[in-house]
Amino acid sequence: MSGVNGLPIQTEEFNPFLSKKQVGPDTATSLKFFLFNPRSICNKVLQVMETLKDNTIDIAGICETWLRDANSPITATIKSYGYSILHNHRKEKKGGGTALIYKSSYKLAVFRSKTSFSSFEYTAATIRTNTVLKVLFVIIYRPGQMSALFNQDLDTFLSEISSKCDCVVLGGDLNIHFDHSNNKLYQQSLDILQSFGMKRHVFDPTHIGGGILDHVFTLSLNEQFDCITRVDNMNVLGSDHFPVYCDFRLVLENKHFKDIQYRKLKEVDLDLFGEDLRSAVGECTVTGSFKSVITELNNVTLKLLDQHAPLISKRVSVVNTAPWFDKEYRDLRKLRRKAEKAWRKSKNDKDLLVKYKDSCSSCSDLALVKKKAHFKKVIDRAEGNPKTLYDIVNQQLDRNQSSKLPDYTEDLPKLASDFNSFFVDKKEKSPDCDSALIPLL
Protein backbone atom coordinates (compact mmCIF):
# COMPACT_ATOMS: atom_id res chain seq x y z
CA MET A 1 0.00 0.00 0.00
CA SER A 2 1.59 3.31 -1.05
CA GLY A 3 1.65 6.23 1.35
CA VAL A 4 2.56 9.89 1.16
CA ASN A 5 5.64 10.98 -0.83
CA GLY A 6 5.59 7.57 -2.55
CA LEU A 7 6.61 5.83 0.65
CA PRO A 8 4.90 2.59 1.72
CA ILE A 9 2.49 2.95 4.59
CA GLN A 10 1.46 0.23 6.99
CA THR A 11 -1.90 -0.14 8.69
CA GLU A 12 -2.51 -2.63 11.47
CA GLU A 13 -5.19 -5.25 11.92
CA PHE A 14 -6.41 -7.07 15.00
CA ASN A 15 -3.82 -9.54 16.28
CA PRO A 16 -5.34 -12.93 17.21
CA PHE A 17 -2.40 -13.78 19.44
CA LEU A 18 -3.28 -10.97 21.86
CA SER A 19 -5.53 -11.27 24.85
CA LYS A 20 -8.02 -8.54 25.75
CA LYS A 21 -8.11 -6.38 28.81
CA GLN A 22 -10.62 -3.73 29.80
CA VAL A 23 -9.15 -0.35 30.49
CA GLY A 24 -10.44 3.02 31.60
CA PRO A 25 -13.93 4.33 31.02
CA ASP A 26 -14.81 6.12 27.85
CA THR A 27 -15.61 9.14 30.00
CA ALA A 28 -11.91 10.07 30.32
CA THR A 29 -11.36 13.82 30.19
CA SER A 30 -8.11 14.02 28.21
CA LEU A 31 -6.10 12.53 25.39
CA LYS A 32 -2.47 11.79 26.15
CA PHE A 33 -0.06 12.50 23.30
CA PHE A 34 3.63 11.59 23.21
CA LEU A 35 6.22 13.05 20.82
CA PHE A 36 9.70 11.58 20.59
CA ASN A 37 12.70 11.27 18.28
CA PRO A 38 14.47 8.05 19.38
CA ARG A 39 16.95 8.17 16.48
CA SER A 40 16.01 4.58 15.67
CA ILE A 41 13.14 2.89 17.43
CA CYS A 42 14.61 -0.44 16.35
CA ASN A 43 16.95 -0.68 19.36
CA LYS A 44 14.64 1.11 21.78
CA VAL A 45 11.24 -0.41 21.01
CA LEU A 46 10.84 -2.10 24.40
CA GLN A 47 11.77 1.06 26.31
CA VAL A 48 9.46 3.21 24.19
CA MET A 49 6.52 0.82 24.50
CA GLU A 50 7.04 0.48 28.26
CA THR A 51 6.89 4.28 28.48
CA LEU A 52 3.66 4.39 26.47
CA LYS A 53 2.05 1.74 28.69
CA ASP A 54 3.26 3.33 31.95
CA ASN A 55 1.89 6.74 30.99
CA THR A 56 -1.28 5.38 29.31
CA ILE A 57 -0.42 7.23 26.11
CA ASP A 58 -3.25 7.30 23.56
CA ILE A 59 -1.30 8.45 20.50
CA ALA A 60 2.45 8.77 20.00
CA GLY A 61 4.29 10.60 17.24
CA ILE A 62 7.72 9.17 16.41
CA CYS A 63 10.39 10.82 14.24
CA GLU A 64 13.43 9.04 12.81
CA THR A 65 12.05 5.55 13.22
CA TRP A 66 14.81 4.10 10.99
CA LEU A 67 12.40 1.35 9.96
CA ARG A 68 13.26 -0.28 6.63
CA ASP A 69 10.14 -2.37 6.02
CA ALA A 70 6.40 -1.94 6.37
CA ASN A 71 6.24 -5.08 8.54
CA SER A 72 9.00 -6.29 10.80
CA PRO A 73 9.65 -7.75 14.26
CA ILE A 74 9.68 -4.15 15.52
CA THR A 75 6.11 -3.48 14.37
CA ALA A 76 5.12 -6.90 15.74
CA THR A 77 6.48 -5.90 19.16
CA ILE A 78 4.47 -2.67 19.04
CA LYS A 79 1.34 -4.71 18.33
CA SER A 80 2.04 -7.03 21.25
CA TYR A 81 1.61 -4.07 23.63
CA GLY A 82 -1.93 -3.41 22.39
CA TYR A 83 -0.97 -0.59 20.02
CA SER A 84 -1.16 -0.18 16.25
CA ILE A 85 1.13 1.75 13.94
CA LEU A 86 0.89 3.87 10.82
CA HIS A 87 4.29 4.72 9.41
CA ASN A 88 6.23 5.93 6.39
CA HIS A 89 9.72 4.52 6.05
CA ARG A 90 12.72 4.99 3.83
CA LYS A 91 13.17 1.90 1.73
CA GLU A 92 16.17 2.91 -0.34
CA LYS A 93 18.36 4.59 2.30
CA LYS A 94 18.98 4.55 6.03
CA GLY A 95 17.54 6.84 8.70
CA GLY A 96 14.46 9.01 8.70
CA GLY A 97 10.91 7.75 8.86
CA THR A 98 7.87 8.96 10.78
CA ALA A 99 5.13 7.06 12.59
CA LEU A 100 1.92 7.35 14.55
CA ILE A 101 1.57 4.68 17.25
CA TYR A 102 -1.89 4.51 18.80
CA LYS A 103 -4.04 2.31 21.00
CA SER A 104 -5.69 -0.45 19.02
CA SER A 105 -9.06 0.56 20.44
CA TYR A 106 -8.96 3.68 18.25
CA LYS A 107 -9.59 3.85 14.54
CA LEU A 108 -7.41 6.21 12.51
CA ALA A 109 -7.85 7.06 8.84
CA VAL A 110 -4.72 7.79 6.81
CA PHE A 111 -4.46 11.29 5.35
CA ARG A 112 -2.44 11.86 2.16
CA SER A 113 -1.65 15.22 0.64
CA LYS A 114 -2.29 15.74 -3.04
CA THR A 115 1.20 17.25 -3.29
CA SER A 116 4.51 15.44 -2.89
CA PHE A 117 7.05 17.20 -0.65
CA SER A 118 10.82 16.76 -0.83
CA SER A 119 11.86 18.96 2.11
CA PHE A 120 10.23 16.92 4.87
CA GLU A 121 8.73 13.52 5.69
CA TYR A 122 5.39 13.09 7.42
CA THR A 123 2.71 10.69 8.59
CA ALA A 124 -0.82 11.97 9.06
CA ALA A 125 -4.14 10.47 10.09
CA THR A 126 -7.56 11.62 11.26
CA ILE A 127 -9.67 10.41 14.14
CA ARG A 128 -13.03 11.43 15.52
CA THR A 129 -13.79 12.37 19.10
CA ASN A 130 -16.85 11.27 21.04
CA THR A 131 -18.40 14.62 20.13
CA VAL A 132 -17.83 13.88 16.42
CA LEU A 133 -15.03 16.42 16.08
CA LYS A 134 -12.52 15.42 13.40
CA VAL A 135 -8.91 15.74 14.56
CA LEU A 136 -5.89 15.48 12.25
CA PHE A 137 -2.60 14.31 13.77
CA VAL A 138 0.49 15.15 11.70
CA ILE A 139 4.04 14.04 12.51
CA ILE A 140 6.78 15.86 10.55
CA TYR A 141 10.49 15.23 10.32
CA ARG A 142 12.63 17.82 8.53
CA PRO A 143 16.18 16.54 7.88
CA GLY A 144 19.21 18.40 6.61
CA GLN A 145 19.97 22.08 6.28
CA MET A 146 17.22 24.68 6.45
CA SER A 147 16.13 26.02 3.06
CA ALA A 148 13.49 28.28 1.58
CA LEU A 149 11.96 25.20 -0.09
CA PHE A 150 10.79 23.93 3.32
CA ASN A 151 8.84 27.13 3.96
CA GLN A 152 7.21 26.86 0.54
CA ASP A 153 6.27 23.23 1.16
CA LEU A 154 5.05 24.05 4.68
CA ASP A 155 2.81 26.83 3.38
CA THR A 156 1.33 24.52 0.73
CA PHE A 157 0.82 21.71 3.22
CA LEU A 158 -0.87 23.90 5.84
CA SER A 159 -3.13 25.41 3.20
CA GLU A 160 -4.42 21.94 2.45
CA ILE A 161 -4.84 20.56 5.97
CA SER A 162 -6.17 23.68 7.74
CA SER A 163 -9.59 23.32 6.14
CA LYS A 164 -9.83 19.53 6.36
CA CYS A 165 -10.59 19.09 10.07
CA ASP A 166 -11.99 20.79 13.14
CA CYS A 167 -8.67 20.46 14.97
CA VAL A 168 -5.06 19.83 13.93
CA VAL A 169 -2.20 18.56 16.08
CA LEU A 170 1.14 19.05 14.32
CA GLY A 171 4.25 17.74 16.01
CA GLY A 172 7.68 16.57 15.10
CA ASP A 173 11.40 17.19 14.88
CA LEU A 174 11.52 20.28 12.69
CA ASN A 175 15.21 20.98 13.42
CA ILE A 176 14.27 24.63 13.79
CA HIS A 177 15.35 26.94 16.62
CA PHE A 178 12.47 29.39 16.73
CA ASP A 179 14.24 31.28 19.51
CA HIS A 180 17.01 32.29 17.06
CA SER A 181 15.45 35.57 15.99
CA ASN A 182 18.39 36.46 13.73
CA ASN A 183 17.67 33.59 11.34
CA LYS A 184 15.22 34.79 8.70
CA LEU A 185 14.26 31.32 7.46
CA TYR A 186 13.42 30.17 11.00
CA GLN A 187 11.29 33.24 11.59
CA GLN A 188 9.53 32.76 8.25
CA SER A 189 8.60 29.22 9.32
CA LEU A 190 7.13 30.50 12.58
CA ASP A 191 5.27 33.29 10.75
CA ILE A 192 3.75 30.76 8.34
CA LEU A 193 2.58 28.52 11.19
CA GLN A 194 1.07 31.42 13.11
CA SER A 195 -0.58 32.84 9.99
CA PHE A 196 -2.69 29.66 9.82
CA GLY A 197 -3.70 30.03 13.47
CA MET A 198 -1.24 27.43 14.76
CA LYS A 199 -0.49 27.74 18.46
CA ARG A 200 2.95 26.80 19.79
CA HIS A 201 3.16 24.69 22.96
CA VAL A 202 6.81 23.66 23.56
CA PHE A 203 9.10 26.25 25.16
CA ASP A 204 11.61 24.08 27.06
CA PRO A 205 14.76 22.54 25.52
CA THR A 206 14.11 19.20 23.84
CA HIS A 207 17.71 18.31 22.92
CA ILE A 208 20.57 17.14 25.09
CA GLY A 209 22.74 19.91 23.60
CA GLY A 210 20.15 22.58 24.37
CA GLY A 211 17.64 24.22 22.10
CA ILE A 212 14.07 23.41 21.10
CA LEU A 213 14.08 21.13 18.05
CA ASP A 214 10.89 19.14 18.71
CA HIS A 215 7.69 21.13 18.49
CA VAL A 216 3.96 20.74 19.01
CA PHE A 217 1.50 23.10 17.33
CA THR A 218 -2.28 22.95 17.46
CA LEU A 219 -5.04 24.48 15.41
CA SER A 220 -8.51 24.65 16.94
CA LEU A 221 -10.98 26.69 14.94
CA ASN A 222 -13.42 27.09 17.82
CA GLU A 223 -10.95 26.63 20.69
CA GLN A 224 -12.30 23.13 21.34
CA PHE A 225 -9.35 21.93 23.40
CA ASP A 226 -6.50 23.04 25.61
CA CYS A 227 -3.01 21.56 25.74
CA ILE A 228 -0.77 20.99 28.75
CA THR A 229 2.81 20.15 27.71
CA ARG A 230 5.77 18.72 29.62
CA VAL A 231 9.30 17.97 28.38
CA ASP A 232 11.01 15.07 30.17
CA ASN A 233 14.71 15.99 30.20
CA MET A 234 15.77 12.95 32.25
CA ASN A 235 16.96 11.15 29.08
CA VAL A 236 16.05 7.64 30.30
CA LEU A 237 15.19 6.44 26.78
CA GLY A 238 18.76 6.86 25.52
CA SER A 239 18.25 9.39 22.71
CA ASP A 240 19.76 12.85 22.28
CA HIS A 241 16.18 14.13 22.07
CA PHE A 242 13.85 14.41 25.06
CA PRO A 243 10.27 13.09 24.89
CA VAL A 244 7.42 15.58 24.97
CA TYR A 245 4.19 14.73 26.83
CA CYS A 246 0.93 16.51 25.99
CA ASP A 247 -2.51 16.34 27.58
CA PHE A 248 -5.33 17.46 25.28
CA ARG A 249 -8.87 17.97 26.49
CA LEU A 250 -10.25 15.58 23.91
CA VAL A 251 -12.02 12.23 24.19
CA LEU A 252 -11.57 9.93 21.21
CA GLU A 253 -14.03 7.42 19.82
CA ASN A 254 -13.18 3.82 20.67
CA LYS A 255 -13.84 0.86 18.39
CA HIS A 256 -14.67 -1.69 21.09
CA PHE A 257 -16.76 -1.25 24.25
CA LYS A 258 -18.27 -3.50 26.88
CA ASP A 259 -20.56 -2.85 29.82
CA ILE A 260 -19.40 -3.96 33.26
CA GLN A 261 -20.81 -3.84 36.79
CA TYR A 262 -18.85 -3.43 40.00
CA ARG A 263 -19.22 -2.48 43.66
CA LYS A 264 -17.18 0.00 45.67
CA LEU A 265 -16.42 -2.49 48.44
CA LYS A 266 -13.51 -0.44 49.83
CA GLU A 267 -15.93 2.35 50.75
CA VAL A 268 -18.19 0.09 52.85
CA ASP A 269 -18.39 0.91 56.57
CA LEU A 270 -17.35 -2.50 57.93
CA ASP A 271 -18.63 -1.91 61.46
CA LEU A 272 -22.09 -0.86 60.26
CA PHE A 273 -22.15 -3.67 57.71
CA GLY A 274 -21.24 -6.20 60.40
CA GLU A 275 -24.05 -5.02 62.68
CA ASP A 276 -26.61 -5.18 59.86
CA LEU A 277 -25.34 -8.61 58.80
CA ARG A 278 -25.68 -10.08 62.31
CA SER A 279 -29.18 -8.65 62.61
CA ALA A 280 -30.23 -9.93 59.18
CA VAL A 281 -28.82 -13.42 59.75
CA GLY A 282 -30.50 -13.60 63.16
CA GLU A 283 -33.89 -12.98 61.56
CA CYS A 284 -33.48 -15.83 59.07
CA THR A 285 -35.64 -18.91 59.62
CA VAL A 286 -33.91 -22.28 59.80
CA THR A 287 -36.96 -24.40 58.99
CA GLY A 288 -37.35 -26.30 55.76
CA SER A 289 -34.78 -28.02 53.59
CA PHE A 290 -31.11 -27.19 53.60
CA LYS A 291 -31.41 -25.78 50.07
CA SER A 292 -34.26 -23.41 51.04
CA VAL A 293 -32.30 -22.13 54.05
CA ILE A 294 -29.23 -21.41 51.89
CA THR A 295 -31.40 -19.65 49.31
CA GLU A 296 -32.99 -17.43 51.96
CA LEU A 297 -29.58 -16.60 53.43
CA ASN A 298 -28.21 -15.70 49.99
CA ASN A 299 -31.18 -13.41 49.30
CA VAL A 300 -30.83 -11.64 52.66
CA THR A 301 -27.08 -11.08 52.34
CA LEU A 302 -27.38 -9.94 48.72
CA LYS A 303 -30.06 -7.42 49.66
CA LEU A 304 -27.83 -6.15 52.46
CA LEU A 305 -24.86 -5.89 50.08
CA ASP A 306 -26.96 -3.86 47.63
CA GLN A 307 -27.73 -1.40 50.41
CA HIS A 308 -24.12 -0.86 51.47
CA ALA A 309 -22.38 -1.29 48.08
CA PRO A 310 -24.89 -1.03 45.24
CA LEU A 311 -23.97 -2.27 41.79
CA ILE A 312 -22.58 0.43 39.52
CA SER A 313 -22.73 0.07 35.75
CA LYS A 314 -19.98 1.48 33.57
CA ARG A 315 -19.01 1.32 29.91
CA VAL A 316 -15.33 0.60 29.27
CA SER A 317 -13.22 0.32 26.16
CA VAL A 318 -11.63 -3.00 25.32
CA VAL A 319 -8.06 -2.98 24.01
CA ASN A 320 -5.48 -5.61 23.26
CA THR A 321 -2.67 -6.43 25.64
CA ALA A 322 0.23 -8.86 25.49
CA PRO A 323 -0.51 -12.39 26.74
CA TRP A 324 2.84 -12.50 28.56
CA PHE A 325 1.83 -9.67 30.93
CA ASP A 326 1.64 -11.71 34.14
CA LYS A 327 1.51 -10.76 37.84
CA GLU A 328 5.29 -10.77 38.30
CA TYR A 329 5.75 -8.37 35.41
CA ARG A 330 2.91 -6.08 36.48
CA ASP A 331 4.30 -5.93 40.04
CA LEU A 332 7.72 -4.93 38.72
CA ARG A 333 6.10 -2.21 36.62
CA LYS A 334 4.42 -0.89 39.77
CA LEU A 335 7.80 -0.76 41.52
CA ARG A 336 9.22 1.14 38.58
CA ARG A 337 6.41 3.68 38.72
CA LYS A 338 6.95 4.00 42.46
CA ALA A 339 10.67 4.64 41.90
CA GLU A 340 9.85 7.28 39.28
CA LYS A 341 7.43 9.09 41.58
CA ALA A 342 9.98 9.06 44.41
CA TRP A 343 12.65 10.54 42.14
CA ARG A 344 10.38 13.26 40.78
CA LYS A 345 9.19 14.14 44.26
CA SER A 346 12.80 14.44 45.48
CA LYS A 347 13.60 17.14 42.90
CA ASN A 348 16.45 15.33 41.09
CA ASP A 349 18.00 13.21 43.85
CA LYS A 350 20.86 11.33 42.11
CA ASP A 351 20.53 8.12 44.14
CA LEU A 352 16.82 7.91 43.43
CA LEU A 353 17.49 8.61 39.75
CA VAL A 354 19.93 5.67 39.61
CA LYS A 355 17.34 3.49 41.32
CA TYR A 356 14.69 4.51 38.80
CA LYS A 357 16.96 3.82 35.82
CA ASP A 358 17.83 0.40 37.28
CA SER A 359 14.08 -0.30 37.58
CA CYS A 360 13.61 0.66 33.94
CA SER A 361 16.34 -1.75 32.87
CA SER A 362 14.92 -4.53 35.04
CA CYS A 363 11.47 -4.09 33.50
CA SER A 364 12.83 -4.21 29.95
CA ASP A 365 14.88 -7.31 30.73
CA LEU A 366 11.94 -9.08 32.37
CA ALA A 367 9.66 -8.18 29.47
CA LEU A 368 12.08 -9.85 27.07
CA VAL A 369 12.32 -12.95 29.30
CA LYS A 370 8.52 -13.21 29.61
CA LYS A 371 8.04 -12.80 25.89
CA LYS A 372 10.57 -15.53 25.09
CA ALA A 373 9.00 -17.89 27.63
CA HIS A 374 5.51 -17.26 26.26
CA PHE A 375 6.39 -17.97 22.66
CA LYS A 376 8.43 -21.01 23.64
CA LYS A 377 5.27 -22.46 25.20
CA VAL A 378 3.24 -21.50 22.13
CA ILE A 379 5.77 -23.19 19.82
CA ASP A 380 5.96 -26.28 22.03
CA ARG A 381 2.17 -26.61 21.95
CA ALA A 382 2.21 -26.27 18.16
CA GLU A 383 4.71 -29.07 17.67
CA GLY A 384 3.69 -31.16 14.69
CA ASN A 385 1.31 -28.47 13.41
CA PRO A 386 3.07 -26.58 10.58
CA LYS A 387 0.16 -24.18 9.99
CA THR A 388 0.24 -22.91 13.58
CA LEU A 389 4.02 -22.62 13.48
CA TYR A 390 3.83 -20.56 10.29
CA ASP A 391 1.17 -18.34 11.92
CA ILE A 392 3.47 -17.73 14.90
CA VAL A 393 6.40 -16.82 12.65
CA ASN A 394 4.26 -14.51 10.52
CA GLN A 395 2.95 -12.81 13.65
CA GLN A 396 6.45 -12.23 15.01
CA LEU A 397 7.59 -10.84 11.66
CA ASP A 398 4.33 -8.87 11.36
CA ARG A 399 3.52 -10.40 8.00
CA ASN A 400 -0.11 -10.49 6.92
CA GLN A 401 -0.88 -13.53 4.82
CA SER A 402 -3.51 -12.80 2.21
CA SER A 403 -5.87 -15.55 1.14
CA LYS A 404 -5.04 -17.13 -2.22
CA LEU A 405 -8.67 -18.08 -2.75
CA PRO A 406 -11.00 -15.71 -4.66
CA ASP A 407 -13.54 -13.84 -2.57
CA TYR A 408 -17.14 -14.47 -3.65
CA THR A 409 -18.84 -13.49 -0.41
CA GLU A 410 -20.67 -10.61 -2.11
CA ASP A 411 -21.53 -12.43 -5.34
CA LEU A 412 -22.58 -16.05 -4.81
CA PRO A 413 -24.20 -16.41 -8.29
CA LYS A 414 -20.84 -15.56 -9.86
CA LEU A 415 -19.24 -18.28 -7.73
CA ALA A 416 -21.72 -20.84 -9.13
CA SER A 417 -21.17 -19.60 -12.68
CA ASP A 418 -17.37 -19.69 -12.45
CA PHE A 419 -17.47 -23.10 -10.79
CA ASN A 420 -19.59 -24.49 -13.62
CA SER A 421 -17.43 -22.82 -16.30
CA PHE A 422 -14.34 -24.43 -14.81
CA PHE A 423 -15.72 -27.94 -15.30
CA VAL A 424 -17.15 -27.15 -18.75
CA ASP A 425 -13.74 -25.88 -19.88
CA LYS A 426 -12.14 -28.95 -18.36
CA LYS A 427 -14.50 -31.19 -20.39
CA GLU A 428 -13.72 -29.35 -23.62
CA LYS A 429 -9.98 -29.64 -23.05
CA SER A 430 -10.26 -33.29 -21.97
CA PRO A 431 -12.91 -35.08 -24.11
CA ASP A 432 -12.32 -38.36 -22.33
CA CYS A 433 -13.39 -36.87 -19.02
CA ASP A 434 -16.49 -38.54 -17.57
CA SER A 435 -19.43 -36.25 -18.35
CA ALA A 436 -21.11 -37.40 -15.20
CA LEU A 437 -18.56 -35.37 -13.26
CA ILE A 438 -19.69 -32.11 -14.87
CA PRO A 439 -22.38 -30.42 -12.73
CA LEU A 440 -25.34 -28.93 -14.53
CA LEU A 441 -25.83 -25.62 -12.77
Side-chain angles (χ1 to χ4, degrees):
M1 181 177 180
S2 297
V4 292
N5 299 336
L7 295 170
I9 194 162
Q10 170 65 12
T11 58
E12 304 298 342
E13 302 295 337
F14 174 72
N15 188 341
F17 284 85
L18 299 179
S19 58
K20 287 188 174 182
K21 176 188 176 184
Q22 60 192 36
V23 295
D26 59 336
T27 55
T29 58
S30 68
L31 176 148
K32 294 185 178 181
F33 177 72
F34 175 85
L35 176 67
F36 184 47
N37 180 345
R39 300 202 70 224
S40 178
I41 197 174
C42 301
N43 60 352
K44 305 179 185 71
V45 63
L46 289 178
Q47 293 91 327
V48 170
M49 297 312 299
E50 290 288 332
T51 300
L52 299 190
K53 292 291 285 188
D54 277 353
N55 295 276
T56 60
I57 300 299
D58 296 295
I59 298 178
I62 307 296
C63 296
E64 289 200 80
T65 60
W66 291 23
L67 292 172
R68 300 294 299 275
D69 299 291
N71 303 85
S72 68
I74 305 302
T75 56
T77 299
I78 292 171
K79 278 185 177 182
S80 72
Y81 278 82
Y83 283 80
S84 297
I85 179 172
L86 292 169
H87 71 95
N88 291 303
H89 63 277
R90 294 180 182 177
K91 196 169 184 179
E92 303 299 331
K93 57 182 180 179
K94 295 181 180 180
T98 54
L100 280 168
I101 299 175
Y102 57 96
K103 287 183 178 178
S104 298
S105 57
Y106 299 138
K107 184 178 181 180
L108 273 67
V110 178
F111 171 82
R112 302 180 183 85
S113 173
K114 299 177 181 178
T115 307
S116 178
F117 303 105
S118 60
S119 62
F120 64 88
E121 304 170 29
Y122 76 94
T123 298
T126 59
I127 188 172
R128 291 194 178 275
T129 67
N130 63 348
T131 56
V132 200
L133 285 177
K134 193 175 182 181
V135 183
L136 175 66
F137 283 87
V138 182
I139 304 303
I140 288 181
Y141 171 59
R142 188 195 68 80
Q145 296 293 323
M146 183 63 176
S147 66
L149 176 61
F150 171 73
N151 287 334
Q152 296 174 10
D153 287 346
L154 181 63
D155 184 76
T156 302
F157 185 60
L158 292 177
S159 298
E160 182 176 356
I161 68 174
S162 59
S163 59
K164 294 289 184 182
C165 302
D166 303 292
C167 307
V168 177
V169 177
L170 187 150
D173 178 6
L174 301 182
N175 278 310
I176 295 178
H177 295 273
F178 287 126
D179 48 337
H180 290 186
S181 57
N182 57 341
N183 189 305
K184 292 184 179 179
L185 290 177
Y186 289 172
Q187 288 305 306
Q188 286 176 5
S189 298
L190 183 59
D191 290 342
I192 291 172
L193 287 161
Q194 292 178 340
S195 69
F196 283 93
M198 289 284 183
K199 185 178 179 181
R200 182 182 173 190
H201 294 282
V202 180
F203 298 96
D204 295 325
T206 64
H207 194 269
I208 194 171
I212 308 172
L213 300 180
D214 307 273
H215 299 274
V216 175
F217 287 86
T218 60
L219 170 62
S220 177
L221 300 179
N222 298 314
E223 299 296 329
Q224 287 98 334
F225 63 86
D226 298 321
C227 175
I228 300 174
T229 305
R230 175 176 65 87
V231 177
D232 187 356
N233 59 6
M234 191 168 56
N235 200 29
V236 173
L237 296 178
S239 173
D240 56 350
H241 290 253
F242 302 142
V244 180
Y245 295 83
C246 301
D247 280 350
F248 296 110
R249 293 202 172 277
L250 287 173
V251 184
L252 300 182
E253 279 188 336
N254 285 275
K255 290 191 296 185
H256 309 293
F257 292 106
K258 68 182 297 184
D259 294 319
I260 65 170
Q261 290 184 323
Y262 65 98
R263 302 178 189 271
K264 294 184 177 181
L265 297 176
K266 291 184 179 180
E267 298 180 5
V268 174
D269 186 329
L270 296 181
D271 293 333
L272 181 58
F273 180 77
E275 292 178 5
D276 291 346
L277 181 60
R278 284 190 292 270
S279 176
V281 172
E283 295 176 0
C284 288
T285 60
V286 292
T287 59
S289 65
F290 177 77
K291 183 177 180 180
S292 63
V293 172
I294 294 299
T295 301
E296 182 181 359
L297 183 60
N298 283 340
N299 292 336
V300 169
T301 53
L302 182 60
K303 183 178 179 181
L304 184 62
L305 184 60
D306 288 336
Q307 293 175 358
H308 288 266
L311 277 174
I312 300 174
S313 297
K314 182 170 66 173
R315 198 177 186 220
V316 298
S317 58
V318 178
V319 298
N320 303 321
T321 188
W324 41 267
F325 273 40
D326 60 7
K327 186 178 185 301
E328 181 186 7
Y329 180 65
R330 294 182 193 281
D331 289 343
L332 189 58
R333 285 167 58 92
K334 290 178 182 178
L335 292 176
R336 181 181 61 185
R337 292 290 290 165
K338 186 177 180 180
E340 180 185 5
K341 290 178 181 178
W343 172 78
R344 294 191 184 281
K345 188 176 181 180
S346 69
K347 305 293 178 63
N348 296 329
D349 183 281
K350 292 184 178 179
D351 291 336
L352 292 176
L353 175 58
V354 171
K355 184 178 179 180
Y356 171 50
K357 288 187 175 182
D358 289 342
S359 297
C360 291
S361 298
S362 298
C363 266
S364 296
D365 293 342
L366 184 60
L368 187 58
V369 170
K370 294 292 183 184
K371 189 174 181 180
K372 287 181 177 179
H374 166 73
F375 281 103
K376 184 179 184 305
K377 290 181 181 178
V378 172
I379 291 172
D380 289 344
R381 288 198 301 266
E383 185 177 2
N385 189 335
K387 181 181 183 303
T388 302
L389 289 174
Y390 273 112
D391 288 342
I392 295 170
V393 172
N394 288 332
Q395 185 251 348
Q396 283 303 289
L397 297 178
D398 200 16
R399 297 189 305 204
N400 294 324
Q401 297 294 306
S402 58
S403 175
K404 296 181 180 180
L405 298 176
D407 184 8
Y408 287 97
T409 54
E410 301 296 331
D411 194 354
L412 294 180
K414 189 175 187 305
L415 169 61
S417 176
D418 290 351
F419 189 74
N420 189 60
S421 298
F422 171 79
F423 283 99
V424 171
D425 294 340
K426 189 175 183 67
K427 171 62 178 175
E428 292 176 352
K429 294 177 182 178
S430 305
D432 297 333
C433 179
D434 188 354
S435 61
L437 295 178
I438 303 177
L440 300 175
L441 300 177

